Amino acid sequence: MSTEVLTAVGWLSRFESALSDTDVGSALSLFAADCYWRDFLAFTWNITTLEGRTEFATMLNARLSGVQPREFRVVETSTGVAANEAWFTFGTAAGRGTGHVRLKDGLCWTLFTALRALDGYEEKSGHSRERGTDHGTVKGRATWLDRRKADHRELGYSRQPYCLVVGGGQGGLALAARLKRLNVPALVIDRLPRTGDTWRNRYRSLCLHDPVWYDHMPYLPFPDHWPIYTPKDKMGDWLESYASIMELDIWNDSACRRAKWNQQDKKWQVEVSRQGETVVLQPSHLVLATGMAGVPNLPAIPGAEKFRGTQNHSSRYRDGADFSGKRCIVIGSNNSAHDIAADLWEYDADVTMIQRSPTLVIKSETLEKFGRPLYSEAAVEAGIDADRADLMAASTPYRLMPQFARPFVERIKKEDAEFYERLRAAGFMLTFGEDETGIGLMYARRGSGYYIDVGASDLIINNRVKLRSGVEISHFTEDALVLADGTALPADLVVYATGFGSMNGWAAELISQEVADKVGPCWGIGSNTAKDPGPWRGELRNMWKPTAQEALWFQGGNLQQARHFSLYLALQIKARWKDCRPRSTRLKPGARDTDRPGRWGLYGIRACRRRRPRRRRCYPCSSMASCSTFTIFRLGRY
Amino acid sequence: MSTEVLTAVGWLSRFESALSDTDVGSALSLFAADCYWRDFLAFTWNITTLEGRTEFATMLNARLSGVQPREFRVVETSTGVAANEAWFTFGTAAGRGTGHVRLKDGLCWTLFTALRALDGYEEKSGHSRERGTDHGTVKGRATWLDRRKADHRELGYSRQPYCLVVGGGQGGLALAARLKRLNVPALVIDRLPRTGDTWRNRYRSLCLHDPVWYDHMPYLPFPDHWPIYTPKDKMGDWLESYASIMELDIWNDSACRRAKWNQQDKKWQVEVSRQGETVVLQPSHLVLATGMAGVPNLPAIPGAEKFRGTQNHSSRYRDGADFSGKRCIVIGSNNSAHDIAADLWEYDADVTMIQRSPTLVIKSETLEKFGRPLYSEAAVEAGIDADRADLMAASTPYRLMPQFARPFVERIKKEDAEFYERLRAAGFMLTFGEDETGIGLMYARRGSGYYIDVGASDLIINNRVKLRSGVEISHFTEDALVLADGTALPADLVVYATGFGSMNGWAAELISQEVADKVGPCWGIGSNTAKDPGPWRGELRNMWKPTAQEALWFQGGNLQQARHFSLYLALQIKARWKDCRPRSTRLKPGARDTDRPGRWGLYGIRACRRRRPRRRRCYPCSSMASCSTFTIFRLGRY
């Protein structure tokens, strides 16, 4: 090979040649020593980041013949860094993909490949949209309304949904919309009476903490006058309209009581209480879209049972109307804690916040200014819509994010130095993440631990909301909360803004503890920082991807994630329905796929098969060869 | 001046110079002898087409100093015809506009100018969107929901809407959305219980006859999978969602009983029956968005009172479920007549259609293929969204449309020659417009007279729907309809698909016959063809523009018109609210504007002041000087 330094365009052409020649060696020679390949379904039928040539080699050797990558076409080389980056499209045996490559000295540093559509099952839009009416005359014609009414009558009774989505928040609705466009029969059930109530029922003063550009639902962007921070009730109404416009099939006032996987007929048995009536559903797939925050964490404080005031978890707090002039304690110091403290203060309550551990605080304005250039009015003007921004954001692997994040944190600390100084002076314990990587990574690692300041920090600085930080809680008396230093805080109300357990808590509650344990925790990337134990995973655990429980999926996260990752989850479910993944991913040819991650190519080894589930924990690590389950895929034992 | 042939860019620069020098002579020298200037508010504060240099001169002499046109900037020269056309933006004393110029041999053939935004009152969008939340902490903060609830409680009771819109179909809602974005307090009242019911209540089989690209509402385009022909119930649901998303203030189940203009305090007194309760509203402006089709036309057929079967106007027809095996007669041969005949046939009724006059028929597929290139998937791919397509469509004056339309008609006749032959053979009386100009002009002239074939023509061709054409109706007997030739058609159902009166029928019904007469008919351009008497008007009568009744407006038409013209109507109302039109348009300086067209610059002479309203009809004609009211504006008597 010549010593010329490849441009991204040239690189891609070489890469395609190597792949089409099934020449894994040549393909690998195109990568730098330090290299990352983030793949959403296209090569691995999973959401995964491979790190280093060894991992690439294993994957390519196993998958190349089945994936049949081809037709790489550069659609854009990034301006600024010019030839070092390119966006491209490509095809596989299963469908069409989009990708991105980032070079360093002519060798690939990061590669991103994402399957975006399944051949033969493309979503109908634009030229392929439906006609809406059957021209011509047909006796006994069923109108649109007839068909919608029939769906409503039959689905879940005489006709089973292929996919059941538990939870009708943004996650459930975004996924249902994707499935609808892919023609997968899906049903959403939600325990609340009206679509959007998940938002309406939150505390009175809540507005989205993320700005509008981040929050679009799939297919139907907000109109361009939509406010930057959507008020919760407006968000509820939006989701209600969205469900109507997208013709989603939803049962409201319908709670999932329990679910059981039937290995024999490969169906779930799901008991649903629909407006009081018990209905048993038998979907092939079960998606828990029950909120990324799982079951509320309620700390066991001695004497809580004898406390005569009100105790509420933050998820049950509505507003401070009843607490004017009353003494209120908010335990916790993240988003909800601050919002609730401020709301109580606005209602003239006497508020004390108890901060148990250091908290990341970032001013909302600062975050808007520096935080997400891809999701901003400037990005819109540059032609970057939400879908494109999602792909751009996804092109960076988690492993590299800290190095991009730290300068941003430094900038913020400088920008708001005075603010942080005053907050510290008020006794507030601050952090910017253990490794100073800021809010983005903290969100990926633990989904908590921060406050996006919309005003409450000033209340703390000015002592309008009293702060007790760095002190343990001892116990309750009848009318007070007593701290470890002996201080008794008289209280009429105690709000536990103490967060939520992992989403697999929902699996424990609805399915079984055994299944929850088998699946393991959701969220977190294995960063080995607080609340995100290692080993390294490189992608969010169990989110939008096959889990250790066949046909069980988790959909959740903020609106951006609900939007972007609903596509890949929907494609995975559609592919299972239509059985249209390439042969090589199914190691017993012809067998019905079972969605156990072990079946899904290389990445199967990551969520590996646990023979003795409770004792032998086996997650992938950098030295993969030492992983005892490494052979599962390679030997094709599944 | 040199003999060089100007390009559009060069032309515009000369034009701007002439205008800024207030050199009307030079400006006029830039126009061809055969020239048209279509203006939406920018120069005339009206919707008007001026024809010929004499009209331009009068207008410019009167208006130039007030309008202060400036900052003409070419934004695009059309490809293909290259330098002969250009799109441009410009400013006036009142706001910002968009325009288009079409040259012939370096001189202007057509000019189009449209005011698009008012300086200081721009719609909030993009960078200027609202924040949605007030960051910081405020005691007694009103949330979004509090404000929406207050609006709902107060509007129409303790706080009067500035503008009352009667009718919550697409016209009323599109206008309300525009007014909302312009911060004009507006209230929509609709007699039906649920937003969208105007569509839901139509006959069962109805789908929009216009394709999706034509039908977007303002600000919130349909998602890209939306079917081409929206089924009526889906349209109803869409409008309901639209109203929620755009935060429109609507009273459902609220009928307008009567309205009276109070000249003293410049307010309407409008009696509304809101869910049975009588409420009197006092808006400054009243918009009738009660359907472009006015009050149903019911022919007086002798003996109708003794007929024992069912008689229904098409607007009351729902479906044929009750008429299986029954003998049904549909009187009429336009869209509704055909749709209803087909629906009855699908329900196994025995159907006869009575065609009274020749009808224009065009196959829906053919219309989609050739009819509206600006509103098509191809246009979308070329970057032409609905808003842009609307402007492009508006750039051609009505006077020139026939010459563009005729070749299209010829093409259709050729394309579907066989179809038309068979239809004629079945006895169907066909027309393509008196002057062979096709459906587009027929719609502008009379809003009726055509059928966009979605299948019923085949029923007629195959004699499944029996046809009686070219025969008058004589009378009813107890069980039959008797034709002039003596044939008695036994019938269980007679549907009058006989159309509607002009929209000013609503003014007669809700206000008074006097006001209806003063205003005159709505719709039609004065083409001197059937149902559109001359003299020539050049724009649709009374639609979206000042009428002879102060503060009374008509909003209507198809979805494209509801979308596009709602902007100009909203701007006119906003300008009156904020009193921000240029001085020269108000001839008694400082006086509160009264919206009588006579006050609105040159175009005032078009809808002229009628001193003896019933006897002296005075519309503008080509020989304007002969118009007895010509002096009204010129002498500045108002």
Side-chain angles (χ1 to χ4, degrees):
Chain A
M1 193 189 283
S2 76
T3 55
E4 58 163 328
V5 175
L6 287 172
T7 62
V9 177
W11 186 91
L12 207 66
S13 148
R14 293 273 180 89
F15 186 58
E16 181 175 7
S17 299
L19 295 185
S20 63
D21 296 346
T22 328
D23 181 352
V24 173
S26 288
L28 293 178
S29 74
L30 292 164
F31 288 87
D34 165 36
C35 58
Y36 304 86
W37 186 342
R38 191 172 199 192
D39 181 62
F40 292 175
L41 316 188
F43 283 73
T44 63
W45 274 104
N46 208 320
I47 292 174
T48 177
T49 300
L50 307 176
E51 301 190 357
R53 292 183 196 138
T54 313
E55 289 191 24
F56 299 1
T58 316
M59 186 275 279
L60 285 174
N61 282 326
R63 310 300 304 278
L64 203 46
S65 62
V67 174
Q68 297 169 36
R70 55 189 175 233
E71 294 157 24
F72 285 70
R73 303 264 180 282
V74 172
V75 288
E76 189 186 318
T77 52
S78 296
T79 48
V81 278
N84 287 328
E85 294 188 31
W87 282 96
F88 59 90
T89 59
F90 63 99
T92 70
R96 308 290 316 164
T98 295
H100 179 262
V101 60
R102 208 178 261 118
L103 302 191
K104 250 187 193 171
D105 304 324
L107 292 175
C108 178
W109 177 34
T110 70
L111 180 63
F112 169 56
T113 48
L115 186 74
R116 302 280 292 173
L118 293 168
D119 280 350
Y121 303 104
E122 292 82 3
E123 296 184 13
K124 287 183 181 171
S125 73
H127 280 291
S128 63
R129 68 174 85 222
E130 289 176 2
R131 294 195 65 77
T133 178
D134 302 318
H135 285 175
T137 42
V138 191
K139 298 238 176 199
R141 170 202 298 263
T143 65
W144 175 85
L145 186 62
D146 295 336
R147 287 194 302 271
R148 288 296 295 149
K149 280 183 174 165
D151 278 350
H152 202 67
R153 209 169 43 234
E154 295 163 7
L155 200 64
Y157 296 94
S158 58
R159 196 158 58 79
Q160 287 299 316
Y162 181 72
C163 178
L164 179 68
V165 181
V166 182
Q170 68 267 16
L173 298 184
L175 177 64
R178 300 275 191 194
L179 291 171
K180 190 84 185 186
R181 293 249 302 212
L182 285 165
N183 274 323
V184 177
L187 177 65
V188 178
I189 59 173
D190 193 273
R191 69 192 162 82
L192 298 172
R194 197 175 145 204
T195 300
D197 278 352
T198 22
W199 284 101
R200 292 190 197 94
N201 284 357
R202 297 300 306 279
Y203 53 89
R204 178 178 178 276
S205 60
L206 178 66
C207 291
L208 298 195
H209 286 77
D210 289 320
V212 60
W213 309 282
Y214 204 66
D215 303 331
H216 297 290
M217 291 287 283
Y219 311 119
L220 188 78
F222 296 117
D224 66 1
H225 69 283
W226 203 260
I228 298 179
Y229 299 102
T230 311
K232 71 176 177 81
D233 296 282
K234 188 170 173 66
M235 192 65 206
D237 290 354
W238 171 259
L239 292 180
E240 191 174 24
S241 292
Y242 184 81
S244 162
I245 289 167
M246 300 304 296
E247 297 184 23
L248 307 185
D249 298 297
I250 305 180
W251 288 1
N252 289 108
D253 197 0
S254 297
C256 179
R257 293 287 175 228
R258 62 186 66 86
K260 195 176 176 330
W261 175 245
N262 188 331
Q263 183 64 30
Q264 219 86 48
D265 62 3
K266 302 284 186 196
K267 300 252 190 216
W268 289 94
Q269 293 279 331
V270 186
E271 191 184 310
V272 176
S273 167
R274 185 186 190 191
Q275 296 169 329
E277 174 209 11
T278 298
V279 187
V280 177
L281 300 173
Q282 295 180 293
S284 300
H285 292 267
L286 179 65
V287 179
L288 299 186
T290 34
M292 167 198 143
V295 183
N297 282 333
L298 281 172
I301 301 176
E305 72 289 350
K306 69 178 163 211
F307 177 64
R308 287 186 302 207
T310 307
Q311 299 177 64
N312 258 340
H313 186 266
S314 61
S315 56
R316 293 187 173 272
Y317 177 85
R318 292 295 167 271
D319 66 41
D322 294 342
F323 299 99
S324 173
K326 301 281 176 67
R327 296 154 308 178
C328 304
I329 295 175
V330 178
I331 302 178
S333 52
N334 291 350
N335 266 338
S336 304
H338 278 84
D339 281 353
I340 291 169
D343 187 64
L344 286 165
W345 178 83
E346 289 185 356
Y347 275 106
D348 290 318
D350 171 79
V351 194
T352 303
M353 175 186 280
I354 299 186
Q355 184 186 28
R356 299 166 304 162
S357 56
T359 306
L360 186 152
V361 176
I362 179 165
K363 289 172 85 73
S364 174
E365 288 78 9
T366 308
L367 188 60
E368 198 182 315
K369 201 163 149 195
F370 301 121
R372 301 194 188 95
L374 289 175
Y375 302 94
S376 65
E377 207 59 48
V380 172
E381 284 176 349
I384 299 170
D385 65 8
D387 190 49
R388 201 170 143 65
D390 290 344
L391 286 169
M392 291 169 82
S395 72
T396 305
Y398 275 112
R399 185 75 92 174
L400 299 179
M401 286 184 197
Q403 73 191 65
F404 293 126
R406 278 189 203 102
F408 166 61
V409 171
E410 286 312 307
R411 198 168 169 186
I412 288 166
K413 281 164 124 178
K414 211 182 244 174
E415 178 90 5
D416 294 330
E418 198 188 331
F419 165 75
Y420 288 124
E421 205 34 67
R422 294 169 67 203
L423 206 49
R424 271 196 200 93
F428 197 88
M429 300 183 294
L430 277 173
T431 180
F432 295 92
E434 299 175 25
D435 51 357
E436 302 275 304
T437 50
I439 188 169
L441 277 149
M442 191 173 273
Y443 177 69
R445 290 164 176 178
R446 52 182 286 200
S448 66
Y450 52 83
Y451 170 51
I452 300 173
D453 178 35
V454 291
S457 290
D458 267 348
L459 295 180
I460 289 167
I461 287 170
N462 300 324
N463 204 29
R464 286 176 177 157
V465 164
K466 289 169 236 165
L467 178 73
R468 293 302 308 258
S469 67
V471 59
E472 292 300 311
I473 291 162
S474 166
H475 62 280
F476 271 109
T477 64
E478 282 189 353
D479 54 8
L481 185 69
V482 182
L483 304 180
D485 64 4
T487 325
L489 301 172
D492 303 298
L493 168 71
V494 173
V495 178
Y496 297 97
T498 44
F500 299 84
S502 168
M503 268 190 87
N504 73 334
W506 290 114
E509 195 162 307
L510 301 175
I511 308 168
S512 69
Q513 189 60 49
E514 194 193 342
V515 166
D517 289 343
K518 179 166 75 169
V519 167
C522 297
W523 213 261
I525 51 179
S527 63
N528 207 17
T529 58
K531 302 199 179 179
D532 180 27
W536 180 247
R537 304 294 301 274
E539 294 290 344
L540 292 178
R541 293 182 186 93
N542 285 318
M543 298 306 299
W544 317 291
K545 56 196 275 182
T547 67
Q549 169 58 53
E550 186 174 346
L552 177 67
W553 309 82
F554 293 90
Q555 155 80 349
N558 60 30
L559 280 144
Q560 186 271 338
Q561 292 167 313
R563 172 181 66 242
H564 190 200
F565 289 96
S566 57
L567 171 61
Y568 307 108
L569 178 45
L571 286 175
Q572 290 173 84
I573 291 171
K574 175 78 179 186
R576 279 154 179 77
W577 192 35
K578 290 298 173 183
D579 210 13
C580 60
R581 289 160 303 164
R583 286 279 139 188
S584 76
T585 66
R586 294 190 283 119
L587 298 169
K588 282 183 191 164
R592 185 95 181 82
D593 61 62
T594 58
D595 311 331
R596 254 177 301 177
R599 301 228 160 180
W600 295 100
L602 175 80
Y603 204 61
I605 65 171
R606 300 222 147 189
C608 74
R609 185 195 196 190
R610 289 203 203 100
R611 283 181 192 117
R612 277 163 271 164
R614 305 237 174 181
R615 264 177 281 164
R616 212 163 149 190
R617 298 187 63 81
C618 166
Y619 289 113
C621 49
S622 339
S623 56
M624 284 179 68
S626 71
C627 168
S628 61
T629 53
F630 184 51
T631 48
I632 289 176
F633 172 79
R634 211 170 43 183
L635 302 184
R637 277 208 256 134
Y638 266 63
Chain B
M1 193 188 282
S2 78
T3 56
E4 59 164 327
V5 175
L6 286 173
T7 62
V9 177
W11 185 91
L12 207 65
S13 148
R14 294 270 181 91
F15 186 58
E16 182 175 7
S17 297
L19 295 185
S20 64
D21 295 346
T22 329
D23 181 352
V24 172
S26 288
L28 293 178
S29 73
L30 293 165
F31 288 87
D34 166 36
C35 57
Y36 305 86
W37 186 343
R38 191 171 200 196
D39 181 63
F40 293 175
L41 316 189
F43 283 73
T44 63
W45 273 105
N46 209 321
I47 292 175
T48 178
T49 300
L50 307 176
E51 302 190 356
R53 292 184 198 140
T54 313
E55 289 191 25
F56 299 0
T58 315
M59 186 275 279
L60 286 174
N61 282 325
R63 310 299 306 276
L64 203 46
S65 62
V67 174
Q68 298 170 35
R70 55 188 176 231
E71 294 157 23
F72 286 71
R73 303 265 181 280
V74 172
V75 288
E76 190 186 318
T77 52
S78 296
T79 48
V81 277
N84 287 329
E85 294 188 33
W87 283 97
F88 58 90
T89 58
F90 64 98
T92 71
R96 308 289 318 163
T98 295
H100 179 261
V101 61
R102 209 178 260 118
L103 301 191
K104 252 187 191 170
D105 304 324
L107 292 176
C108 178
W109 178 33
T110 70
L111 181 63
F112 168 57
T113 47
L115 186 73
R116 303 280 292 175
L118 294 168
D119 281 349
Y121 304 104
E122 292 82 3
E123 296 183 13
K124 287 182 180 172
S125 72
H127 279 292
S128 63
R129 69 176 84 224
E130 288 176 2
R131 293 195 64 78
T133 177
D134 304 317
H135 286 175
T137 42
V138 192
K139 299 237 176 199
R141 167 201 300 264
T143 66
W144 174 87
L145 186 63
D146 295 335
R147 287 193 303 270
R148 287 297 294 150
K149 281 184 174 165
D151 278 350
H152 201 67
R153 208 168 43 234
E154 295 164 7
L155 201 64
Y157 295 94
S158 59
R159 196 159 57 81
Q160 287 299 315
Y162 181 71
C163 178
L164 180 68
V165 182
V166 182
Q170 68 268 14
L173 299 184
L175 177 64
R178 300 275 190 195
L179 291 171
K180 190 83 184 188
R181 293 251 301 213
L182 284 164
N183 274 322
V184 177
L187 177 65
V188 178
I189 59 172
D190 193 275
R191 68 193 163 81
L192 298 172
R194 199 176 142 205
T195 300
D197 278 350
T198 22
W199 283 101
R200 292 190 198 94
N201 284 359
R202 296 301 307 278
Y203 52 89
R204 178 177 177 276
S205 60
L206 177 66
C207 291
L208 298 195
H209 286 78
D210 289 319
V212 58
W213 310 282
Y214 203 67
D215 304 330
H216 297 290
M217 292 286 282
Y219 310 119
L220 188 79
F222 295 117
D224 66 1
H225 69 284
W226 203 261
I228 297 178
Y229 299 101
T230 310
K232 70 175 177 82
D233 297 283
K234 188 169 172 69
M235 193 65 205
D237 290 355
W238 171 258
L239 292 180
E240 191 174 26
S241 292
Y242 184 82
S244 161
I245 289 167
M246 300 304 295
E247 297 183 22
L248 307 185
D249 298 297
I250 304 180
W251 288 0
N252 290 110
D253 196 1
S254 298
C256 179
R257 293 290 173 226
R258 60 187 65 87
K260 194 175 177 329
W261 174 245
N262 188 330
Q263 183 64 30
Q264 218 86 49
D265 62 2
K266 301 284 185 196
K267 301 253 190 213
W268 289 95
Q269 292 280 331
V270 186
E271 191 184 310
V272 176
S273 166
R274 185 185 190 191
Q275 296 169 332
E277 173 210 10
T278 297
V279 186
V280 177
L281 300 173
Q282 296 180 292
S284 300
H285 292 267
L286 179 65
V287 179
L288 299 186
T290 35
M292 168 199 142
V295 182
N297 281 334
L298 281 171
I301 301 176
E305 70 292 348
K306 68 178 162 211
F307 177 64
R308 285 186 304 207
T310 308
Q311 300 175 65
N312 257 340
H313 187 265
S314 62
S315 56
R316 293 188 173 271
Y317 177 85
R318 293 293 168 271
D319 66 43
D322 294 342
F323 299 98
S324 174
K326 302 281 175 66
R327 296 154 307 178
C328 304
I329 295 175
V330 178
I331 302 178
S333 53
N334 291 350
N335 266 337
S336 303
H338 278 84
D339 281 354
I340 290 169
D343 188 63
L344 286 165
W345 178 83
E346 290 185 357
Y347 275 105
D348 289 318
D350 172 77
V351 193
T352 302
M353 176 186 278
I354 298 185
Q355 185 186 27
R356 300 166 302 163
S357 56
T359 307
L360 186 152
V361 176
I362 179 164
K363 290 174 84 72
S364 173
E365 287 78 8
T366 309
L367 188 59
E368 197 181 316
K369 201 163 148 196
F370 302 120
R372 300 194 190 95
L374 289 175
Y375 302 94
S376 65
E377 206 61 46
V380 172
E381 285 175 350
I384 299 171
D385 64 8
D387 189 48
R388 203 171 141 65
D390 291 344
L391 286 169
M392 291 168 83
S395 73
T396 305
Y398 275 111
R399 184 75 92 175
L400 299 179
M401 285 183 198
Q403 71 189 68
F404 294 127
R406 279 190 201 100
F408 166 61
V409 170
E410 285 313 307
R411 197 166 170 187
I412 288 166
K413 280 163 124 176
K414 210 181 247 173
E415 177 91 4
D416 294 331
E418 198 188 331
F419 166 75
Y420 288 124
E421 207 33 70
R422 294 169 67 202
L423 206 48
R424 271 197 201 91
F428 197 89
M429 301 184 293
L430 276 173
T431 179
F432 294 93
E434 303 177 22
D435 50 357
E436 303 275 303
T437 49
I439 188 169
L441 277 149
M442 192 174 274
Y443 177 70
R445 291 164 176 178
R446 51 182 286 200
S448 66
Y450 52 83
Y451 170 51
I452 300 173
D453 178 35
V454 293
S457 290
D458 267 349
L459 294 181
I460 289 167
I461 287 169
N462 300 326
N463 203 29
R464 286 177 178 156
V465 164
K466 290 170 234 164
L467 178 72
R468 294 302 311 258
S469 66
V471 60
E472 292 300 310
I473 292 162
S474 166
H475 62 280
F476 273 109
T477 64
E478 281 189 356
D479 54 8
L481 186 69
V482 183
L483 303 180
D485 63 5
T487 326
L489 301 172
D492 303 298
L493 169 73
V494 173
V495 178
Y496 298 97
T498 43
F500 300 83
S502 167
M503 268 189 87
N504 73 335
W506 290 115
E509 195 162 307
L510 302 176
I511 308 167
S512 69
Q513 190 59 49
E514 193 194 342
V515 166
D517 290 343
K518 178 167 75 169
V519 166
C522 297
W523 214 261
I525 51 179
S527 63
N528 207 16
T529 58
K531 302 200 180 181
D532 182 29
W536 179 247
R537 304 294 301 275
E539 295 289 343
L540 293 178
R541 293 183 187 91
N542 284 319
M543 299 305 299
W544 317 292
K545 57 195 279 183
T547 68
Q549 169 57 53
E550 186 174 346
L552 177 67
W553 308 83
F554 293 90
Q555 154 79 349
N558 59 30
L559 280 144
Q560 187 271 338
Q561 293 167 312
R563 172 181 68 241
H564 190 198
F565 289 95
S566 57
L567 171 62
Y568 308 108
L569 178 45
L571 286 176
Q572 290 173 84
I573 291 171
K574 175 77 178 187
R576 278 153 179 78
W577 191 35
K578 290 299 174 183
D579 210 12
C580 59
R581 289 161 301 164
R583 287 278 137 188
S584 75
T585 65
R586 294 188 284 118
L587 299 169
K588 281 183 191 164
R592 186 91 184 85
D593 60 62
T594 58
D595 312 331
R596 255 179 300 180
R599 301 227 162 183
W600 295 101
L602 175 80
Y603 205 60
I605 64 171
R606 299 225 147 185
C608 76
R609 187 195 195 187
R610 289 204 203 98
R611 282 179 194 117
R612 276 164 274 162
R614 303 236 174 181
R615 266 176 279 165
R616 211 164 152 189
R617 296 188 64 82
C618 166
Y619 289 112
C621 48
S622 339
S623 57
M624 283 179 70
S626 72
C627 168
S628 62
T629 52
F630 184 52
T631 48
I632 289 177
F633 172 79
R634 211 167 45 181
L635 302 183
R637 276 209 255 133
Y638 268 63

